[in-house]
Every structure is written in C-alpha cells, then in structure tokens.
Amino acid sequence: MGGGLWLIIDSDHSKPIYIQIAEWLETEVLKENHKEHEKIYSQYQLADMFNINPATAAKGLSILAEEGILYKKRGLGMFVSENAKEIILSKRKNQTLKRLVHDLVLEAERLHVEEDELIDMIVKENRNRKGRTS
Amino acid sequence: MSVIECKELSKAYGRKKALHQVSFTIKENTITGLIGRNGAGKTTLLKIIAGFIRETEGEINVFSRHPFNSLFVSANRIYIDDQMNFPNTLTLKDILQSAATFYGNWDQILAERLFDYFSFYPTWRYQQLSKGMKSTFNMIIGLSARCPLTIFDEPTTGMDASVRKDFYRALLKDYLDHPRTIILSSHLLNEIEDLLEDVLLLKDGEKCLYLSIDELKEYGVYLKGSVNCVRDIAGDKEIMYEKSLGNDHLLIGIKNTLTNLEIEQAVLMGVQISPISTDDLCTYLTNKTIGGIDDVFNRS
C-alpha cells in the first residue's frame, strides 16, 4: 500500500476522522467499487489504508451499519446492503444539501441579501454550469 | 478485559507529590496516549505500571497483579525509554540475540528486517550510537518483543521526522497483526493522535482528562469575532484560552457545549467557530493561566 491513500484524510481536522471514513466508504459504494452484498473493508484494512487506529475505523463502519448502508454477518464482516446506494443518495440530499442550504440562507441573512437576490444567484449559477457542461 | 487498573494511585518523593489520587482503567489491546507537560508525572506513572517503583498510596493492578516485584508482570511487559542501558561489550547483533531469549513472543525476523531498514550494522556498539539512533534501536526491541503490555516512554527522543513517521507506521502495522496493549507517552500529540484509541492527560500529578481520541477531538471550540459578540455567545461558559486580536477582536477557546441555536446566532453575528486541535487543547487544559506565556508579559 503506497503512501498516497491516507492523504485523503482531511488534515485541517475540520471533520472527525471516523466521519471521513464513513463518507469515503459511501463514495466507494456510490462509485460501485463495492456492489450490493459484497464484503466491504474490515476495520483493520481501513486502519492500515488510512494509518489510523482500528477503533476509529470501526466507528466509521458502525455509523454506516446503523444507517442500514452496511450489514453485519457474524464472523464474516460487513457487507453492502441491497439498497445502500439509495440510502446514501437520499441521505446526502436530505442532510448534506439541506445543511448547505441552511448555511447559505444564514450567510445571506448576515450579508443582508434578499431572498429574491439569493434565488437569482442560484438560478444563474445553475444555468452557468449547464451551459458549460452541455 | 482490563489490563491496568489504577485506583486513587499516589506517589510521593519525599514531600513532593509526583502523582495524586489517579484512577483509570486501560482495556486490553488498546493504544493509549499518555500526555502531559514535563514533570506532570508521566514517567512516574509508567514506572509504577511496569513495576520498577512502588506506589505510596492507592491501588494498582497490572494483569490482575500488583506489579512491583512481580515476575509475571515483568515477563509480560516491556518498558522502553531513552535511559536504556546495554552492556558495551555486546554488539548490536548480540543485544538482539539476547533480547530474543528474554521475551517469549520475540519476532527475530521483524527485528532483523527493521534493523536492516534503519541501516544498522551488526558490529556496532550501543554507546556509539547517536541519540536518535539509540531511540530507533530501542524501538526495534520494543516492537519485536511483542509483549502483551508494551510501554514506550517518550520513544521518539532525537529521532528525525521521517524516522518518527516510520516508527508510528511500524507500530500501527505490527499492532494490527498482533494486537496488544500499548501505552505511548509523548508531548507531540498531533503526531500520534490518529494512532491512538484513548488519551490520558496528566496535569501536576493528577488526572486531567481520560477520553477516547474522537471525544477529545470534539471537546473544544474556538470562537473568533468582535469582542462583544464573542462574549455574548460565550455567556458564562468556562473559558480555557483567551487572546485579544487587535483592539476590538477576540479569540477564545471553550468547551464544546454550544447548542444549534447558539451556533446559528454565532454565524449571524459573524463569530467564527472552529474546532480546537487536540494538541492546543491539551496545552490550554494544562496551562496555569488562560493567556499562557503572554500573561507573563502582560503588565496592564
């Protein structure tokens, strides 16, 4: 295992490492590097890959198990749930996007940006992006 | 299962108290960081655990036995520090070979591979090694012994940055393959924090904090902004660090007990919130004043 992988770990400590591990695993599942009912990395493999304590890695795995993204087979390890992708996508929509919108609205309020102006900015950004990608 | 149990452990050297009523339990097969300032009692605590010195008061059990003069404890633990003494009549190779006969779990292949990786020569003598090389050699012995209880007291003294990194990596990899109870004392918490499961922080011989590393990382936050706004958000929360920035701005560190509502208020008032790194946190918690060294120069 090369030294490159654990550079992914956020060095500014803004997010706890077990959350970063959970998010990295989610992205692996979304990219279909691990498909439904396939075994996912063990806490020891993750610890080795990211150069972290296995207890921290286990915490990342157990978050995903609690959310139903992974399931446990006794003595065999953790596996990807059947509807893992849907759960992750809806979680990201409901939590991540909602939080970003919340932060956005709060920042707009602080800067005295009116609602119309804010919506206008979003619409413009969206059009810009679509113009670039199409 | 717990490997170490301390109950109100105290140690005095004459009238000076080195440890005062320290209680904690260390679980089997965990890596614990023992953190504290110079003179906080780290080495005293580790030496009592290892069975080198006897406590003055309180209770200590290692593998359910009293460690002082215990053959069982001494056969199952290794204590590595920068005061290691090896006979100068032996070559480095001889030392490794005799260490192999001491420790039941000794891994000679690991020892030799580390020995070659760090470019040691079999015919060298220990006393000729530089400070950093001595520490590196000690580390090879500490890892290869594979003792159920492995104690490293400031193991990286004199090591350069890349050897320290290699050491931490080697420690983690060997721990993953051969789980055991490891205690690592250091004042460079930021270098080892990802390796640790738990952190025990000592201050003036007393237990200051004993938390999992994840809890420690979320323990404190900085508030930064104009003085009035920061004071407003902080309310009557206990302040562990304070620094004024210019005339009207302020940075403070508090325990992370902010509610969502308070966080929202802070954002609206333009107060920035950021986590306190574990290193800074331990410094603040063990500081005598909330301004640190700056208070010495503050005569107003």
Side-chain angles (χ1 to χ4, degrees):
Chain A
M1 181 65 56
L5 239 183
W6 67 74
L7 294 178
I8 300 168
I9 296 282
D10 199 353
S11 56
D12 67 7
H13 302 278
S14 57
K15 259 184 202 172
I17 288 189
Y18 61 92
I19 301 218
Q20 294 181 51
I21 295 292
E23 287 178 351
W24 182 80
L25 288 168
E26 283 176 2
T27 309
E28 284 290 283
V29 171
L30 285 182
K31 285 198 286 196
E32 298 196 353
N33 288 344
H34 294 267
K35 298 197 176 66
E36 292 168 7
H37 301 299
E38 272 183 19
K39 194 174 186 306
I40 199 111
Y41 300 107
S42 72
Q43 65 181 103
Y44 303 102
Q45 286 172 312
L46 290 169
D48 188 18
M49 286 159 70
F50 293 99
N51 215 24
I52 55 171
N53 188 289
T56 307
K59 224 167 155 184
L61 286 167
S62 72
I63 290 178
L64 298 181
E66 274 165 33
E67 291 171 346
I69 294 163
L70 302 178
Y71 65 93
K72 203 182 217 164
K73 274 195 204 170
R74 229 168 224 296
L76 293 174
M78 298 276 226
F79 292 77
V80 180
S81 303
E82 202 165 291
N83 45 355
K85 275 179 79 173
E86 288 91 87
I87 299 175
I88 297 167
L89 283 176
S90 86
K91 184 175 93 165
R92 293 210 171 168
K93 242 189 258 168
N94 287 330
Q95 289 178 10
T96 316
L97 209 55
K98 239 188 188 158
R99 199 185 54 233
L100 285 172
V101 170
H102 176 263
D103 291 351
L104 185 72
V105 169
L106 218 59
E107 184 69 11
E109 190 181 326
R110 202 168 73 83
L111 299 172
H112 306 292
V113 173
E114 294 298 320
E115 191 179 290
D116 297 346
E117 203 182 338
L118 184 65
I119 292 171
D120 220 39
M121 283 170 80
I122 294 172
V123 170
K124 262 189 196 146
E125 176 62 27
N126 215 13
R127 276 192 201 134
N128 268 340
R129 271 197 58 76
K130 281 188 179 137
R132 275 204 301 273
T133 49
S134 65
Chain B
M1 202 193 91
S2 57
V3 166
I4 301 168
E5 286 169 313
C6 271
K7 240 195 246 156
E8 298 180 0
L9 189 73
S10 297
K11 173 76 189 175
Y13 297 111
R15 296 182 75 177
K16 187 180 181 314
K17 281 181 186 164
L19 285 177
H20 186 62
Q21 305 214 329
V22 177
S23 302
F24 65 93
T25 306
I26 288 181
K27 291 188 305 264
E28 190 182 23
N29 298 342
T30 53
I31 308 181
T32 303
L34 179 60
I35 310 296
R37 297 253 168 139
N38 296 333
K42 300 190 294 287
T43 298
T44 300
L45 179 60
L46 293 178
K47 284 192 167 162
I48 293 174
I49 291 170
F52 292 157
I53 56 175
R54 198 198 287 260
E55 71 280 5
T56 314
E57 266 175 76
E59 229 178 277
I60 166 102
N61 281 303
V62 177
F63 302 116
S64 310
R65 287 165 172 84
H66 186 241
F68 189 73
N69 276 346
S70 161
L71 206 55
F72 184 85
V73 170
S74 78
N76 283 286
R77 63 101 179 100
I78 187 162
Y79 178 91
I80 300 288
D81 68 358
D82 58 2
Q83 313 284 316
M84 309 277 289
N85 229 327
F86 297 108
N88 213 24
T89 48
L90 298 182
T91 64
L92 295 186
K93 199 82 186 177
D94 295 335
I95 297 172
L96 286 190
Q97 261 155 14
S98 50
T101 63
F102 264 71
Y103 298 102
N105 300 336
W106 179 267
D107 185 336
Q108 183 65 18
I109 293 169
L110 176 69
E112 282 173 11
R113 291 182 72 118
L114 289 170
F115 193 83
D116 291 340
Y117 177 85
F118 289 105
S119 315
F120 284 101
Y121 282 90
T123 53
W124 282 353
R125 311 271 159 164
Y126 187 75
Q127 303 304 330
Q128 298 164 340
L129 300 177
S130 71
K131 212 179 198 180
M133 290 286 270
K134 276 183 185 153
S135 293
T136 308
F137 185 76
N138 297 345
M139 170 266 280
I140 293 175
I141 292 187
L143 287 180
S144 307
R146 295 244 171 88
C147 281
L149 174 59
T150 300
I151 299 171
F152 286 108
D153 189 9
E154 304 278 355
T156 57
T157 312
M159 287 183 188
D160 64 42
S162 70
V163 174
R164 288 206 301 274
K165 227 172 153 186
D166 281 342
F167 165 57
Y168 299 136
R169 179 78 180 145
L171 180 75
L172 180 70
K173 281 192 85 83
D174 204 56
Y175 167 76
L176 291 172
D177 291 340
H178 304 275
R180 52 203 191 258
T181 308
I182 298 174
I183 310 177
L184 204 58
S185 88
S186 177
H187 23 232
L188 300 167
L189 182 54
N190 68 337
E191 279 193 2
I192 56 169
E193 60 177 17
D194 292 345
L195 223 63
L196 304 176
E197 183 163 341
D198 297 310
V199 173
L200 174 60
L201 176 66
L202 290 182
K203 180 188 182 181
D204 302 329
E206 293 186 33
K207 181 175 80 176
C208 184
L209 275 183
Y210 184 35
L211 293 173
S212 78
I213 190 73
D214 301 315
E215 289 168 308
L216 195 69
K217 282 189 175 183
E218 293 170 35
Y219 189 86
V221 285
Y222 287 118
L223 302 177
K224 187 172 137 188
S226 68
V227 176
N228 291 339
C229 296
V230 168
R231 292 261 180 247
D232 219 32
I233 299 296
D236 52 7
K237 292 180 174 60
E238 197 187 328
I239 293 169
M240 55 176 127
Y241 178 72
E242 184 167 327
K243 189 182 180 191
S244 51
L245 308 164
N247 280 337
D248 52 354
H249 276 65
L250 188 65
L251 174 77
I252 63 169
I254 57 168
K255 208 177 154 192
N256 184 11
T257 54
L258 294 172
T259 61
N260 282 341
L261 193 69
E262 285 172 318
I263 292 172
E264 222 165 87
Q265 275 176 339
V267 174
L268 279 175
M269 289 166 139
V271 171
Q272 288 170 18
I273 304 176
S274 56
I276 302 180
S277 74
T278 53
D279 235 3
D280 287 348
L281 182 75
C282 289
T283 307
Y284 301 156
L285 289 174
T286 54
N287 260 348
K288 296 212 160 40
T289 64
I290 56 172
I293 188 73
D294 276 13
D295 283 358
V296 173
F297 297 93
N298 190 358
R299 300 189 183 189
S300 62

